[in-house]
Amino acid sequence: MNKPQAEGKVNLRPYSRIPNMRTHSLLFIISCILGCSAEFYVIDDRVGLGREFDGIGGLSGGGATSRLLVNYEEPYRSQILDFLFKVFTCASLHILKVEIGGDAQTTDGTEPSHMHSKDEANFFRGYEWWLMREAKKRNPNIKLIGLPWAFPRWVGEGTQWPYFFPNVTADYVVTWIYGAKQHHNLDIDYIGIWNENKYDPVYIKVLRDTLDSVGYTNVGIIAADGDWSIAAAMLENPYLNDAVEVIGVHYPGTKTVEEALLTEKKLWSSEDYSTFNDDIGAGCWARILNQNNVNGRMTSTISWNLIASYYENLSFGGDGLMTAKEPWSGHYLVESPIWMTAHTTQFTQPGWFYLQTVGNLAHGGSYVALIDRQGNLTIVIETMTHNHSQCIRPPLPHFDVSPQKATFQLKGSFAHLTDLQVWYSKLDFETKKDVYFNQFVYNGSFTLRLDVDEVYTITTVNTGQRGSYPEPPKSRPFPKNYSDDFTVDNPPFSEAPYFADQTGVFEYFRNSTDNGSHAFTLWQVVTERPVTWGDYSWADLDVSCAVLIETPITGGVFLAARVDQGGESVREAKGVFYWIYANGTYKVTNDIGTREGVWYTLTLSVKGYFAMGLLNGYPLWKNAVVLEPKNSWAALGTLSFEYAQFDHFEVNAE
């Protein structure tokens, strides 16, 4: 982790070299002295204000992207949270958007619903409540957003369509908002409709009416978390237009549409980025943070995802602002997108305004200027090149960026400024010696010699800081020998450490019918296969677990090894699956006498190209040939939508 650099002070003068710029930048400066002229850009508030700035955020969920974060021990977990949320430190995010769990696989796992059925509610399942509380501790003004990706089946009354009974769906969502306030003292600021699915104008109106009827008039509706198509509908439907506060679009490529501008609503890139968090990902993020406003007049950009805290071999591994995927070691990585975020978030706040004098630089790149209308000014400049700033989507048309000299003239109420803080980052793809978030001071108007792949923040705000923590522990693999009997009297979270639900919801359970060795279990409460767990590299291993089938005749459970798919591809997973069923059969032969309501211990052993299975310690089948996959996770799960319990899980890998 880079340590903060000492503050430097420079007086602005023609052709002064900025500290920490690399040799190739100095050569460009010399060439400019010999004949390169500066382009002029005016920063002036007299021509009027642009749109109100709504903040930069991160998204936890869609799905289960923060799953491993909760299992970090202190002080590392708090350090990670500080990097994301602490005011004037590192990312200093303005917005936290979370998934409203729906008991279904939504990209990298399942997040539990607060209402598995219409007759019960539990506002302590999962970890999003905890994450929102921790974010609020570090930034009391952070905005909170909830969005469903999926719904429990009962919400659609069995129709698989949540809009079929709009009142039921609206009540379900409003109950989540109620739980946030009543049980966690969290005020939800915005609520979404249904992630990247069709919107329904009737449902949106019913949701607005339901919110208003119970006093949540300040909760704004974001719609429709997909494309721009709702904008045209809002122009034609005044009731829909009145109900929607924010038009939220995903991956807009920094462009908007005329219909959206005509609504005069807030325009947000409510999900963006989704790119591996190396320096190219940082370039993507730096570019769209500016250009979403310059090109698209959007006033908020939210990163999917907040933090890559899930097993890397799942879908979109590493696509977070930072990485924390080893709670067993305490290791985490503060990736370069964190510092690109800080260039905006530490020096602005929601409620500031963009100036109309923003735009693109003559030789590539962009600049924005924001003010708080109380005398503060922040300018953010980026010069990201095409090949070093490609996001995962949409395709990026070619453009050119070259070194350039830019003079910024401060006019209007800023003409008198004599003390400007300057923060600088360089993504150096040639020498690999990046510079992150270094600080200098300028006096008055200024001329910058801009190289490619740089970010500057010039600001009157003097509270910015990098922050500093000791190095986190070294990375190390998941333990080869691990066990869990799930004996926890008052678990802090509903899910057992390191298990990552992929299809289904597995919760700690106090089994009141058993006062013996199975008094505490892991209970599958909703759906089917499989639950990915552990280290993707496991090849030769023995995995064992006690299981209890609860559904007569048709019920069944499995234990698995070398499961090669999780996330969105979980239903195409290959591996070694050892099934037993309540009707007395198992995967290979039948008539073994298994039934519901009785505990069995399954043991699966995979060595090289062969697998064998034991039931209660006795070999049941052996020498099953396993050609592929050659390594992957261990897993457990159920046959169908049914209850089942698991206990005394153990794995021993070679």
Side-chain angles (χ1 to χ4, degrees):
M1 188 185 307
N2 291 306
K3 298 293 191 296
Q5 303 294 315
E7 178 179 325
K9 293 180 180 288
V10 299
N11 292 321
L12 182 68
R13 60 185 184 274
Y15 316 122
S16 62
R17 186 186 177 201
I18 298 169
N20 289 309
M21 290 184 74
R22 302 302 176 196
T23 302
H24 61 275
S25 300
L26 179 59
L27 293 175
F28 171 71
I29 292 170
I30 293 172
S31 70
C32 277
I33 294 174
L34 297 177
C36 179
S37 61
E39 300 287 345
F40 286 85
Y41 305 93
V42 176
I43 305 297
D44 191 348
D45 58 351
R46 292 175 302 181
V47 298
L49 300 179
R51 288 175 171 254
E52 183 178 353
F53 175 64
D54 295 308
I56 307 302
L59 200 169
S60 174
T65 53
S66 304
R67 171 64 193 90
L68 298 176
L69 176 59
V70 297
N71 298 136
Y72 272 79
E73 295 183 358
E74 295 295 348
Y76 312 118
R77 190 171 70 178
S78 287
Q79 291 172 7
I80 294 166
L81 292 165
D82 286 351
F83 275 114
L84 294 169
F85 300 118
K86 190 174 181 180
V87 175
F88 304 128
T89 303
C90 305
S92 193
L93 291 170
H94 304 134
I95 298 169
L96 173 60
K97 180 177 180 178
V98 303
E99 176 179 353
I100 299 176
D103 294 339
Q105 164 64 245
T106 54
T107 300
D108 287 302
T110 300
E111 298 208 24
S113 170
H114 58 290
M115 296 178 70
H116 292 322
S117 69
K118 61 183 177 181
D119 299 320
E120 64 89 44
N122 184 326
F123 302 104
F124 295 91
R125 292 190 182 111
Y127 39 84
E128 304 296 5
W129 312 103
W130 166 83
L131 185 61
M132 288 189 286
R133 293 198 310 269
E134 293 296 323
K136 277 287 187 181
K137 287 179 185 177
R138 290 159 173 82
N139 179 2
N141 296 319
I142 196 168
K143 301 295 183 182
L144 301 177
I145 304 172
L147 173 66
W149 264 250
F151 299 88
R153 184 179 179 87
W154 68 265
V155 171
E157 301 285 351
T159 65
Q160 294 296 306
W161 188 245
Y163 302 145
F164 198 82
F165 297 96
N167 288 296
V168 173
T169 306
D171 287 343
Y172 168 81
V173 170
V174 171
T175 299
W176 183 85
I177 298 172
Y178 167 86
K181 180 62 176 177
Q182 294 300 313
H183 296 276
H184 303 281
N185 197 29
L186 296 169
D187 292 306
I188 303 301
D189 297 285
Y190 296 96
I191 201 74
I193 305 304
W194 188 15
N195 183 71
E196 295 179 353
N197 276 280
K198 293 180 179 180
Y199 65 89
D200 183 83
V202 173
Y203 169 67
I204 294 174
K205 183 64 168 63
V206 169
L207 178 60
R208 179 72 268 162
D209 290 344
T210 305
L211 289 165
D212 293 345
S213 69
V214 294
Y216 296 137
T217 56
N218 292 328
V219 178
I221 292 178
I222 303 174
D225 280 294
D227 60 22
W228 291 107
S229 61
I230 195 171
M234 290 169 61
L235 292 175
E236 297 177 356
N237 185 335
Y239 298 102
L240 178 63
N241 189 70
D242 289 345
V244 174
E245 181 173 333
V246 178
I247 299 178
V249 67
H250 291 190
Y251 309 98
T254 77
K255 301 297 196 303
T256 189
V257 297
E258 184 66 22
E259 292 87 350
L261 294 170
L262 290 174
T263 66
E264 299 184 351
K265 295 288 185 176
K266 294 177 179 289
L267 308 180
W268 289 9
S269 181
S270 54
E271 181 180 321
D272 217 326
Y273 178 61
S274 187
T275 302
F276 188 74
N277 54 22
D278 57 7
D279 278 2
I280 291 178
C284 154
W285 186 232
R287 177 176 56 80
I288 64 178
L289 285 181
N290 263 23
Q291 295 190 22
N292 275 345
N293 180 260
V294 170
N295 300 331
R297 296 297 182 260
M298 285 166 273
T299 55
S300 176
T301 300
I302 299 174
S303 167
W304 188 92
N305 53 66
L306 170 72
I307 182 169
S309 197
Y310 48 98
Y311 293 112
E312 188 168 358
N313 295 92
L314 293 170
S315 302
F316 304 101
D319 285 15
L321 297 178
M322 62 180 291
T323 300
K325 58 186 176 68
E326 290 188 16
W328 51 88
S329 71
H331 180 71
Y332 62 86
L333 293 169
V334 182
E335 309 284 10
S336 48
I338 287 287
W339 304 113
M340 302 303 103
T341 311
H343 273 281
T344 298
T345 53
Q346 286 202 31
F347 310 105
T348 60
Q349 290 296 323
W352 284 42
F353 282 83
Y354 286 98
L355 292 181
Q356 292 190 30
T357 50
V358 302
N360 293 298
L361 299 171
H363 300 285
S366 65
Y367 67 99
V368 296
L370 301 99
I371 65 170
D372 67 352
R373 298 194 293 181
Q374 297 178 7
N376 281 310
L377 167 70
T378 291
I379 304 167
V380 184
I381 304 163
E382 60 82 22
T383 60
M384 296 300 145
T385 55
H386 177 274
N387 290 347
H388 296 159
S389 68
Q390 295 186 67
C391 304
I392 195 171
R393 65 178 76 88
L396 182 62
H398 181 75
F399 60 87
D400 293 314
V401 180
S402 59
Q404 57 195 296
K405 187 162 67 170
T407 295
F408 288 84
Q409 296 182 329
L410 305 183
K411 294 188 174 183
S413 61
F414 307 113
H416 68 284
L417 291 179
T418 59
D419 188 11
L420 292 169
Q421 307 288 315
V422 181
W423 292 81
Y424 167 75
S425 293
K426 168 74 173 180
L427 301 176
D428 197 325
F429 290 87
E430 294 183 12
T431 68
K432 307 300 183 185
K433 296 179 180 178
D434 294 349
V435 177
Y436 296 143
F437 213 55
N438 282 355
Q439 183 184 14
F440 327 107
V441 177
Y442 277 159
N443 297 321
S445 295
F446 52 92
T447 296
L448 296 175
R449 296 168 181 87
L450 303 172
D451 201 356
V452 298
D453 300 321
E454 294 181 337
V455 181
Y456 282 88
T457 299
I458 298 93
T459 183
T460 58
V461 177
N462 59 13
T463 53
Q465 58 178 311
R466 269 190 69 157
S468 177
Y469 292 99
E471 291 281 345
K474 299 294 185 183
S475 173
R476 57 181 171 84
F478 194 90
K480 290 183 178 295
N481 301 305
Y482 183 82
S483 62
D484 193 343
D485 63 5
F486 312 114
T487 302
V488 183
D489 275 317
N490 295 295
F493 299 99
S494 59
E495 297 158 297
Y498 314 139
F499 284 79
D501 299 359
Q502 294 300 297
T503 305
V505 173
F506 293 72
E507 300 176 350
Y508 279 117
F509 181 60
R510 178 65 171 92
N511 186 0
S512 60
T513 64
D514 191 324
N515 293 319
S517 62
H518 300 300
F520 296 90
T521 66
L522 189 67
W523 192 28
Q524 199 300 110
V525 297
V526 178
T527 188
E528 58 180 351
R529 84 176 256 243
V531 178
T532 306
W533 185 91
D535 192 326
Y536 189 85
S537 66
W538 285 337
D540 295 345
L541 72 158
D542 298 321
V543 57
S544 177
C545 188
V547 299
L548 178 70
I549 305 169
E550 297 191 33
T551 303
I553 308 300
T554 60
V557 298
F558 72 79
L559 191 64
R562 297 188 185 176
V563 181
D564 71 342
Q565 297 288 334
E568 297 170 305
S569 303
V570 67
R571 294 189 181 278
E572 288 77 48
K574 297 177 182 177
V576 183
F577 292 85
Y578 174 14
W579 296 84
I580 66 170
Y581 305 101
N583 65 3
T585 64
Y586 66 99
K587 182 78 172 182
V588 180
T589 63
N590 58 14
D591 199 24
I592 60 170
T594 52
R595 60 185 177 86
E596 79 284 355
V598 177
W599 282 97
Y600 301 98
T601 297
L602 302 184
T603 302
L604 176 61
S605 179
V606 185
K607 310 290 183 184
Y609 293 104
F610 298 96
M612 68 176 295
L614 292 83
L615 182 69
N616 292 339
Y618 294 96
L620 189 61
W621 52 271
K622 61 182 179 179
N623 295 330
V625 177
V626 183
L627 298 179
E628 289 187 353
K630 299 186 185 305
N631 58 269
S632 203
W633 293 294
L636 51 81
T638 60
L639 174 63
S640 62
F641 291 82
E642 61 182 281
Y643 291 119
Q645 295 180 51
F646 302 83
D647 202 0
H648 302 304
F649 180 89
E650 183 176 355
V651 63
N652 295 286
E654 297 181 3

